[in-house]
Amino acid sequence: MSLLAAVLALAAGGMLVAALLAVAHRRLPRALRPLLGAVPDALGDAALLLDPRGVIAAANAAAGRLAGAPPATLAGASASTLFGADLSVLQRDAARGPAAGTIALAGGGVPARARAVVVRVSARPPLDLAVLRPEPAARPPPLPVMAPPPPPPRRAEGHADLGAVSAALRPPLSRAATAASMLRLLLTDGARAHDELDRLEAALRDLEGRVGALAAAGASGPGATRVLDLAALVRELLAAPTGPVRIRAALVPARALADEGRLRAALREVLRAAAEALPAGGELAVSVQPRGASAVLELASAALAADGGVAAIARALLGPEGGRVEVESVPGRGALCRIALPSAPRAALRPA
């Protein structure tokens, strides 16, 4: 029991000595206290009193602002953690004399670098005074001035005879498409013959698109771009006979920026191709509506094919007008062809 009591007494004595040393360490000599106040706070200088291990014994208000914490809470914290590891290097050099240099500051929300001076101001207890003056943050270099993009090339003026040429080519193309359809009905078997007919019909659709492009190119010359009501233009085109096909239309005013002649000719060809792709008695749903920065025309039918020629014709004719063509396959309901034309800004909306 006496041995155990002696061990406990020694442990308690050691803890008491450590506590007294800690209190003495935190208690600064009276002569050193005015040093923190002598640092010119108006210049933004942060002042720290450090022990040999780099632990902060005291700090001024500027040091608290630099660390982002009240200065009273900095006592006992590691200076290298709050202000960067470069400060501990200067403190080691201060044992041989005043040390100065530029250090990189740690943490966010503070300048990246600071001028620092560390001086040994007390031998008992050993304390160093560190003064930090943050450097102003460097301004990022100005962004280079980008040259404006070159103006788009002007569209070549259509020849006056292009419309007549396309009108002359359309009847034989229509007869060839009818003959291909009749020939398919006569075929009973033979995968190779069906493949050849598929290629023939695809070539005919491509030719129809090119003929429509000729008509669109000859419809009007350059400089005719203006604000148009896409719904009114489609309504006018749907008023023409479409054959044995039912049209279900939902047209909401949507202003597009385009050449009226070319757009009219292109939409006429697209609507004609969509109607001819349907069997007799088929139904074609046509809708127009504004959507974001586009005026959107949608064609949908259970008989339209997702890989059919309507989308190819639309891309060939409306692509030069800035049109974007998308095709969606709806299981059990055919396909939907969506044509998005660039819309006019609100400030430019005027009666067409």
Side-chain angles (χ1 to χ4, degrees):
M1 290 296 293
S2 60
L3 181 59
L4 179 60
V7 171
L8 291 175
L10 288 174
M15 294 174 62
L16 179 60
V17 170
L20 292 175
L21 289 175
V23 171
H25 176 72
R26 289 195 299 268
R27 189 175 299 163
L28 296 175
R30 187 178 301 275
L32 296 181
R33 294 176 185 174
L35 284 176
L36 295 179
V39 175
D41 185 61
L43 298 177
D45 292 347
L48 307 167
L49 283 174
L50 308 175
D51 72 0
R53 298 173 301 163
V55 176
I56 300 173
N60 67 349
R65 289 192 297 270
L66 195 59
T73 63
L74 301 185
S78 171
S80 61
T81 301
L82 293 178
F83 301 99
D86 293 345
L87 187 58
S88 61
V89 176
L90 287 180
Q91 188 180 6
R92 285 196 297 269
D93 295 341
R96 299 186 297 272
T102 301
I103 66 172
L105 293 171
V110 296
R113 303 180 69 81
R115 291 290 300 170
V117 177
V118 182
V119 181
R120 178 63 54 86
V121 294
S122 173
R124 292 186 179 180
L127 289 173
D128 297 324
L129 175 66
V131 179
L132 313 179
R133 176 171 293 181
E135 294 182 346
R139 293 185 178 181
L143 295 176
V145 178
M146 303 298 292
R154 296 189 63 183
R155 192 188 303 272
E157 186 173 357
H159 194 275
D161 293 334
L162 289 182
V165 171
S166 63
L169 290 175
R170 193 171 289 120
L173 278 176
S174 179
R175 290 194 296 269
T178 302
S181 300
M182 295 178 65
L183 185 59
R184 184 179 293 279
L185 293 175
L186 294 176
L187 289 177
T188 57
D189 55 8
R192 181 176 178 181
H194 283 283
D195 291 341
E196 292 296 330
L197 272 178
D198 289 341
R199 283 191 283 271
L200 174 61
E201 290 177 342
L204 288 173
R205 288 193 296 267
D206 180 68
L207 285 174
E208 287 179 346
R210 294 176 184 274
V211 169
L214 286 176
S220 61
T225 301
R226 64 188 184 94
V227 181
L228 303 168
D229 186 351
L230 181 61
L233 189 56
V234 171
R235 185 180 297 109
E236 178 185 339
L237 294 173
L238 292 179
T242 57
V245 175
R246 297 192 307 273
I247 302 293
R248 181 163 49 87
L251 308 178
V252 178
R255 297 302 179 98
L257 196 62
D259 181 282
E260 182 177 8
R262 287 193 294 265
L263 183 59
R264 183 188 301 274
L267 291 179
R268 182 185 296 113
E269 294 297 325
V270 171
L271 292 172
R272 181 188 63 80
E276 291 182 354
L278 305 182
E283 182 179 83
L284 178 66
V286 181
S287 67
V288 172
Q289 59 181 320
R291 187 175 301 168
S294 301
V296 178
L297 166 65
E298 290 185 344
L299 307 173
S301 174
L304 282 180
D307 57 349
V310 177
I313 294 174
R315 289 190 182 96
L317 299 182
L318 295 171
E321 301 299 321
R324 188 179 70 254
V325 181
E326 302 171 354
V327 180
E328 293 183 8
S329 179
V330 183
R333 299 178 58 185
L336 180 145
C337 179
R338 181 180 298 110
I339 303 169
L341 294 168
S343 180
R346 290 189 175 273
L349 296 184
R350 297 185 300 273

